[in-house]
Amino acid sequence: MSNVSYYTEEGLKKLKEELAHLEQVERPRVSQEIADARDKGDLSENAEYHAAKEEQSLLETKIAKLKNVVANARVIDESQLDTSKILIHSIVKIKNTVNGMEFTYTLVADSESDVRNGKLSVNSPIGKGLLGKKVGDVAEIQVPNGIMKFEVMEISR
């Protein structure tokens, strides 16, 4: 099943660079580890060989998943987005209505998410709760420890 994800040009470039690194650097390294372990003799009792084979399996799974993400990625033309409501790649300033704390986030695809740097996944509870809201709206969002209320202060690109 393919899920289309939307990225900035920079975000898609990073994904492609990670995929290239896994295929061109990590895959040959793991193959060499398998070859080195195989040269040490009896494979049935060779822990290095089995560890390298396990690492290869995990690496190939990661490569396959990343290839699928890249194949289904679309670059967003941010100039065409509606700036009156919150969408992916919106920069939003919100205020917690209970304690008055203000936060600024950019809503991004899952793989670009980095909360410490203000990049919030659109698939996170808060991201989902903010999508479609306009300035002045209050979003009531179910989070693991209850319901939070955020007022949308600003929306930009």
Side-chain angles (χ1 to χ4, degrees):
M1 185 172 147
S2 65
N3 292 325
V4 173
S5 295
Y6 296 94
Y7 295 89
T8 60
E9 285 186 38
E10 176 187 338
L12 185 56
K13 180 182 176 195
K14 285 180 182 177
L15 279 179
K16 288 179 178 180
E17 287 171 355
E18 180 182 357
L19 179 59
H21 175 77
L22 292 175
E23 291 179 323
Q24 297 167 10
V25 177
E26 295 300 318
R27 184 183 273 160
R29 179 189 60 78
V30 171
S31 293
Q32 185 61 49
E33 285 179 10
I34 291 170
D36 292 346
R38 189 180 298 126
D39 290 341
K40 293 181 180 175
D42 184 10
L43 298 181
S44 65
E45 296 180 16
N46 188 330
E48 287 179 39
Y49 175 78
H50 293 290
K53 288 297 282 183
E54 177 69 19
E55 184 178 1
Q56 181 185 43
S57 175
L58 294 172
L59 178 64
E60 291 302 326
T61 300
K62 188 173 183 177
I63 288 171
K65 286 181 180 179
L66 199 50
K67 279 185 173 183
N68 188 46
V69 169
V70 169
N72 293 300
R74 303 293 179 265
V75 175
I76 286 192
D77 180 358
E78 295 185 53
S79 67
Q80 301 297 314
L81 297 177
D82 179 1
T83 57
S84 68
K85 60 184 175 182
I86 298 173
L87 302 169
I88 189 168
H89 296 175
S90 292
I91 300 169
V92 297
K93 183 176 180 182
I94 56 175
K95 181 170 81 173
N96 184 318
T97 60
V98 174
N99 62 19
M101 290 183 65
E102 294 185 2
F103 306 92
T104 300
Y105 293 112
T106 301
L107 295 183
V108 296
D110 289 337
S111 64
E112 294 181 272
S113 178
D114 183 359
V115 176
R116 290 183 186 162
N117 290 311
K119 293 184 176 185
L120 187 66
S121 168
V122 292
N123 291 319
S124 67
I126 294 174
K128 285 180 181 178
L130 292 174
L131 286 175
K133 300 289 188 244
K134 297 180 178 191
V135 173
D137 287 354
V138 174
E140 291 188 22
I141 301 168
Q142 180 70 44
V143 293
N145 57 347
I147 294 179
M148 297 183 78
K149 293 182 182 182
F150 295 102
E151 180 181 354
V152 178
M153 308 296 287
E154 289 178 29
I155 303 170
S156 59
R157 295 277 181 262

